[in-house]
Amino acid sequence: MFSEKEYTEEEKKLMAEAKEVIKEFNYSLYMAESEEELRKSIQNTWIDADNVYDSIIDTYHEAKARDFKDMEIDISEELFVANEDMSRFTYTAKVDITLTDKDEDPYHYDHKNEYQFKKTEDGKYKLEKIGKKDD
């Protein structure tokens, strides 16, 4: 049976930060108004921003062609594991995304991933890697 772990206040804070990074990244991928807005969001959320930008620009253009007007993100099934000094952590979660296009047609998908975060010199945590999680 699944039992929820009790997290410390610091762990809860980092989990909340992780959620915001995941939401910002996904929002920019599907809803950014321009490539420049997408680039800024990627720089804000990823350690290796240039390579990530290059790897997702085609997905961004496909999303722009669908002309999505609305997006909802729900995050559940969370698990948090950090190294001792909290300089790195893995946040595992199920992310449900619902997009609505200009014709009010919904598009829904979900995925469960391991989001690996690393603390940067400015004290922020950014994504270092996303790995698919098998249940």
Side-chain angles (χ1 to χ4, degrees), residues 10-27 44-46 73-76 78-81 88-95 113-118 124-130:
E10 184 176 10
E11 290 171 332
K12 289 177 185 177
K13 180 181 174 271
L14 293 176
M15 289 171 73
E17 282 186 46
K19 281 183 187 181
E20 291 307 311
V21 168
I22 292 165
K23 287 178 180 180
E24 179 179 348
F25 171 65
N26 280 285
Y27 185 84
N44 189 42
T45 58
W46 280 86
I73 299 175
D74 183 52
I75 297 176
S76 62
E78 303 170 273
L79 176 66
F80 177 89
V81 178
R88 293 176 184 269
F89 68 86
T90 299
Y91 174 75
T92 304
K94 181 180 177 187
V95 178
N113 292 329
E114 288 184 344
Y115 300 89
Q116 295 176 16
F117 286 83
K118 180 180 177 183
K124 289 183 175 182
Y125 286 88
K126 292 186 178 182
L127 282 163
E128 188 170 38
K129 181 180 175 184
I130 298 176

Side-chain angles (χ1 to χ4, degrees), residues 103-114:
D103 297 323
E104 301 299 321
D105 292 327
Y107 173 74
H108 178 262
Y109 73 97
D110 60 59
H111 51 275
K112 190 167 187 179
N113 292 329
E114 288 184 344

Side-chain angles (χ1 to χ4, degrees), residues 54-67:
D54 291 343
S55 72
I56 67 166
I57 192 65
D58 289 340
T59 302
Y60 168 76
H61 287 291
E62 290 170 14
K64 291 306 287 179
R66 293 274 318 255
D67 200 15

